[in-house]
Amino acid sequence: MHASTTRTMKPSEWLLLIFLAILWGGSFFFGKVALQEVKPLTIVLARVGIAALALDALLVFSGLRTPNLLAKWKAFSTMGLLNNLLPFSLIFWGQSHIPSSSASILNASAPVWAVLPARFYTREERLSLNRSGGVFFGLTGVAIMIGPDALRGAGVEALAPSAVVGAAISYAFAGIYVKRFKDLPPLATAAGQLTATTVIRLPPTLLIEKPWVQAMPGMRVWGALVGLALLSTAPVYIIYFRLLSAVGPTNLLLVTFLIPVSATILGTLLLNEHPTLRQLTGMGIIALGLVMIDGRIAGAIKARSERRNLPSPKGAMDDENRNI
């Protein structure tokens, strides 16, 4: 989408965007708590399963008529794979080895990875000089956060950040694929993709992790699983798809600036996590890349400069009088 077609958001939409970031950022906190007693695949199944049940029930009670849901089952499965199954699994596995704040920062690089495929799969997105610079700074920030250990292959501690980056790449492709659901109500789209993800995730979780043989989680972990599903998943996707249709993907991209802030605050206050200087540096460079990709700050500066260079009405009249 060109910068010129990006409309100004209303105050109510800004509040909804901030609320979305808080809920989404909370998923990193809830996930870190749940990982203390539950394995990653089981957490993913609980997250999408509980959220899908809640949204499917809401869909029924709302009386919303969506006769094309079954016809879109293949599309919902693909969307669930890209937007839920792969990124959730990679993030939870990564969080078992790195702080939640670091995971949220690396996950915020999704728009960086979206630029290149969007260039080939959409007509609206152009790889401008501004966006190219944003990709460069974004990738530099990711490389700094992952650190030199990944190049040396220093075990799972080095692979964990790369797994979260893989989740961000999956989110990037989901952001392109989601455009085919623009004619469906947000509730139907959210319920459809979460239900499809639950069906896909169930068999491998039962075969690989066998949740029934694991120790029963404590109340704190159960609370984290419920919070993950009913606070950081079910309402998140309703808000996400609603904002997508209302303000467009370029404005929705701004949520990626805000999620690491809420996740880092929760991690610092409640999980006793303390970001390192390298992580903060990487976060700052990723943020710079996102600002360049977004383009609205550069656009505002350019517009202000052009207004300054325009002759004032009084000056134009003086010039005209002198020419008479």
Side-chain angles (χ1 to χ4, degrees):
M1 181 175 292
H2 300 295
S4 60
T5 62
T6 302
R7 75 167 179 82
T8 302
M9 291 196 296
K10 303 173 185 176
S12 60
E13 292 166 345
W14 273 108
L15 289 175
L16 200 58
L17 188 77
I18 293 170
F19 185 56
L20 173 64
I22 294 171
L23 291 179
W24 216 330
S27 68
F28 294 90
F29 164 72
F30 289 130
K32 194 69 173 181
V33 173
L35 282 166
Q36 295 173 1
E37 300 180 27
V38 183
K39 293 184 177 181
L41 296 185
T42 304
I43 295 176
V44 174
L45 180 61
R47 178 179 186 178
V48 298
I50 297 172
L53 286 173
L55 291 186
D56 286 336
L58 186 59
L59 194 63
V60 171
F61 286 114
S62 68
L64 195 61
R65 295 290 181 264
T66 52
N68 55 351
L69 274 177
L70 289 178
K72 287 184 175 289
W73 186 253
K74 182 179 179 181
F76 279 130
S77 298
T78 303
M79 186 63 186
L81 178 69
L82 294 173
N83 208 35
N84 302 141
L85 190 59
L86 282 176
F88 289 177
S89 301
L90 290 170
I91 287 172
F92 288 140
W93 183 83
Q95 274 192 272
S96 63
H97 302 284
I98 61 175
S100 61
S101 56
S102 300
S104 68
I105 295 167
L106 287 167
N107 183 65
S109 66
V112 174
W113 304 103
V115 170
L116 293 177
R119 167 66 181 82
F120 297 101
Y121 292 107
T122 67
R123 296 179 179 179
E124 297 87 1
E125 305 285 352
R126 292 181 178 177
L127 191 59
S128 62
L129 181 62
N130 210 49
R131 286 174 173 264
S132 300
V135 170
F136 171 78
F137 283 108
L139 296 181
T140 300
V142 168
I144 290 173
M145 286 203 62
I146 292 176
D149 290 341
L151 298 177
R152 293 195 294 264
V156 294
E157 299 296 333
L159 291 176
S162 301
V164 180
V165 171
I169 295 173
S170 185
Y171 276 134
F173 280 93
I176 297 171
Y177 191 82
V178 73
K179 294 181 179 181
R180 67 186 59 207
F181 298 103
K182 62 182 180 180
D183 297 328
L184 279 181
L187 176 58
T189 306
Q193 69 156 3
L194 287 169
T195 301
T197 306
T198 303
V199 173
I200 297 171
R201 171 50 70 202
L202 184 60
T205 302
L206 298 180
L207 288 172
I208 297 172
E209 291 189 348
K210 299 179 175 63
W212 63 88
V213 303
Q214 307 299 324
M216 182 64 69
M219 291 303 297
R220 184 168 182 262
V221 171
W222 274 113
L225 291 173
V226 172
L228 192 59
L230 299 185
L231 292 178
S232 297
T233 305
V236 156
Y237 282 118
I238 296 176
I239 297 171
Y240 175 87
F241 290 118
R242 178 181 172 185
L243 280 173
L244 183 67
S245 61
V247 305
T250 302
N251 280 319
L252 189 57
L253 178 147
L254 289 173
V255 76
T256 58
F257 292 83
L258 304 173
I259 290 174
V261 177
S262 59
T264 301
I265 291 173
L266 288 171
T268 302
L269 296 178
L270 302 178
L271 297 175
N272 198 31
E273 295 178 349
H274 302 287
T276 64
L277 178 60
R278 189 183 76 190
Q279 292 166 349
L280 292 175
T281 302
M283 179 181 181
I285 296 176
I286 290 173
L288 176 60
L290 292 176
V291 168
M292 294 183 69
I293 290 172
D294 179 64
R296 73 190 70 207
I297 292 180
I301 294 174
K302 181 180 179 181
R304 185 177 180 182
S305 176
E306 289 175 349
R307 286 196 301 269
R308 284 182 174 179
N309 292 332
L310 288 174
S312 66
K314 184 179 183 303
M317 291 179 62
D318 291 343
D319 290 341
E320 185 178 348
N321 290 335
R322 279 196 294 267
N323 292 331
I324 294 176

